[in-house]
Amino acid sequence: MMIVGMSKPFAFIAAPLLVIVYAVIRILDGLDGERGPGLAWMTGHLAFLAALLLFVPVFLNLRRLAGGGRFATWTVAVALVGTACTVVQIAVDIVIGALATDHDDMRAMFSDVIKVPGVDIVVYTVGPVLFFLGLVVVFCQLAVARAVPAWQAALVVTGALVLPAGLDLLPVAGVLLFAGLAPFARRVARGATAHA
């Protein structure tokens, strides 16, 4: 509740910034040829978990900016389901990173998790895609309604489409999302002041 209510303007800046933080830490963690377990793995995943939680108020505000109608509500609901699936994925990564003694141990644990019926589809393949789909659709709706400039929508849509293409493109996606989402902070803050 606190995330949803108190950090509306902040979330538009912090969420994409934390995606960039995760991307940078992930690159550094992989310099030795392997990622995790260890401090970099945990820190990076905690940053990404925080980013995902901050996307909740982002999506709720985007719904309002899109007019709050049925289509916007369903789009954001889909995005939030995708967010929840991705949160579960990151939580699994954090737990495995905390329990594993080395990279081979991590690999074995991930293999056991993926063998659980439904986990691979819901948590790793289809579920997280809903996050990106919701982000793309809501920004297309905002662009069509001229609620945001086309360039801003294009940045977010491109960032959302780059993210699932591969984690190595995460820094690019984070920068695009930041450039497209950060301008909303002032707009949302103005709206909050006007309703105070």
Side-chain angles (χ1 to χ4, degrees):
M1 200 65 184
M2 195 157 101
I3 287 176
V4 173
M6 288 180 58
S7 57
K8 291 176 184 178
F10 171 75
F12 282 95
I13 294 170
L17 271 182
L18 285 166
V19 171
I20 296 169
V21 168
Y22 170 58
V24 171
I25 294 173
R26 184 179 178 277
I27 290 168
L28 295 174
D29 189 25
L31 290 178
D32 62 355
E34 289 186 341
R35 291 189 173 91
L39 181 61
W41 175 273
M42 295 299 286
T43 306
H45 281 76
L46 287 170
F48 197 53
L49 178 62
L52 289 168
L53 295 176
L54 286 167
F55 267 106
V56 173
V58 167
F59 279 124
L60 294 176
N61 274 278
L62 291 174
R63 176 192 166 274
R64 184 180 56 77
L65 293 168
R70 188 173 297 171
F71 185 73
T73 299
W74 277 106
T75 300
V76 167
V78 166
L80 291 175
V81 168
T83 305
C85 292
T86 312
V87 164
V88 172
Q89 180 187 137
I90 297 301
V92 169
D93 290 355
I94 290 169
V95 170
I96 289 176
L99 297 176
T101 54
D102 57 28
H103 194 70
D104 290 334
D105 199 17
M106 284 181 71
R107 190 178 295 117
M109 287 183 184
F110 277 120
S111 180
D112 290 342
V113 168
I114 289 174
K115 286 177 188 170
V116 175
V119 169
D120 189 32
I121 292 172
V122 174
V123 177
Y124 286 94
T125 52
V126 177
V129 171
L130 299 178
F131 170 88
F132 306 112
L133 179 64
L135 199 55
V136 167
V137 172
V138 78
F139 264 90
C140 287
Q141 184 181 0
L142 288 166
V144 168
R146 298 190 178 179
V148 297
W151 64 265
Q152 191 175 352
L155 287 171
V156 175
V157 168
T158 305
L161 293 175
V162 164
L163 264 171
L167 289 175
D168 290 338
L169 296 172
L170 205 54
V172 175
V175 170
L176 289 168
L177 290 174
F178 178 77
L181 290 173
F184 279 103
R186 186 179 303 163
R187 184 171 172 180
V188 170
R190 277 201 311 262
T193 304
H195 289 96

